Amino acid sequence: MARPKIALIGAGQIGGTLAHLAALKELGDVVLFDIADGTPQGKALDIAESGPVEGFDAALKGTTDYADIAGADVCIVTAGVPRKPGMSRDDLLGINLKVMKSVGEGIRDNAPDAFVICITNPLDAMVWALQQYSGLPAEKVVGMAGVLDSARFRHFLSVEFDVSMKDVSAFVLGGHGDTMVPLTRYSTVAGIPLPDLVEMGWTTQDKLDAIVQRTRDGGAEIVGLLKTGSAFYAPAASAIEMAEAYLKDQKRVLPCAAWVDGALGLKGMYVGVPTVIGAGGIERIVDIKMTKDEQSMFDNSVEAVKGLVEACKGIDGNLG
Ligand code: APR
């Protein structure tokens, strides 16, 4: 059987890391697309030249021509402009909306059967626009945010508890941004929920609150340190986990920005929710029950996402 084809739209910091990880994990052949001629070709060749050392079998190609993504099984979209220090994800809206139009049309015309993972920010609005511009089925167009946000949460918790990151699971809901909702009740160390760990004296409520806040600000913390761009290693690893779940029909339960119509009391919108990812794309939305407090935090996040979507509609009247 031919290897799967993975198209990476955007060959910047995240795109290059995605290509490297996809090759190292032998997920398939990789096509790196970018409008900056030379960048995708250079990165593809550089990674291909690491193949004999790493011992992977994967073809890598760099291109500025959408025709080269033809028939891709997975498209991961990072095309656009990342945040600069002091810039919010929302500041990026106008610039990246235009990028989503060209990328959506490129995917529609060349890879209409692909599973599409959007990473470009502001995430929840961009994945919504990308689905509209591409016209692909909503269950095949998703945004990567929750896996990254929960990975950050898991990392901070593992350091606080001095236990393996493997044994920490975390649950994050809502939009990718300052309003995201880390659910401590559903976040555990080897199955023990965080509130119980507070009672057991493993940490204090104040420390846990600080970790939740640090998780919400996780993207900005990296931007502040890097100064010239935003996070790329953890975002790339997170999207690769989602791509692998689709390509291998793993039925992974992963939080991501998915189209929700009915579950969690929502009517037709993209927002971060727990999902099952398998060969059908988003195969299920996990319709959890929230406490009053959780629901009000989630509602707040939903409103923030709706605001961004309305702003997109204001910029491009054809969206709706
Ligand atoms: N089509 C294709 N590629 C484009 C387009 C376009 N219309 N516009 C810009 N690009 C390319 C740029 O040439 C650049 O190589 O997108 C790439 C973006 O790469 P970086 O600037 O390195 O950004 P990166 O760190 O990879 O982040 C990409 O993901 O997390 C989000 O906020 C982040 O929106 C940003 C995106």
Side-chain angles (χ1 to χ4, degrees), residues 204-276:
T204 62
Q205 189 60 46
D206 283 354
K207 280 186 176 170
L208 185 54
D209 291 345
I211 288 173
V212 165
Q213 194 53 42
R214 191 175 177 196
T215 302
R216 288 204 180 102
D217 298 338
E221 183 175 2
I222 304 277
V223 171
L225 290 166
L226 292 180
K227 296 182 185 71
T228 54
S230 51
F232 53 101
Y233 292 114
S238 304
I240 288 291
E241 187 174 52
M242 292 165 65
E244 189 170 17
Y246 171 75
L247 288 168
K248 298 184 179 171
D249 192 21
Q250 287 172 331
K251 319 281 186 200
R252 292 288 313 276
V253 182
L254 298 172
C256 56
W259 179 253
V260 191
D261 194 10
L264 292 111
L266 298 177
K267 263 196 85 54
M269 70 177 289
Y270 271 95
V271 70
V273 288
T275 69
V276 176

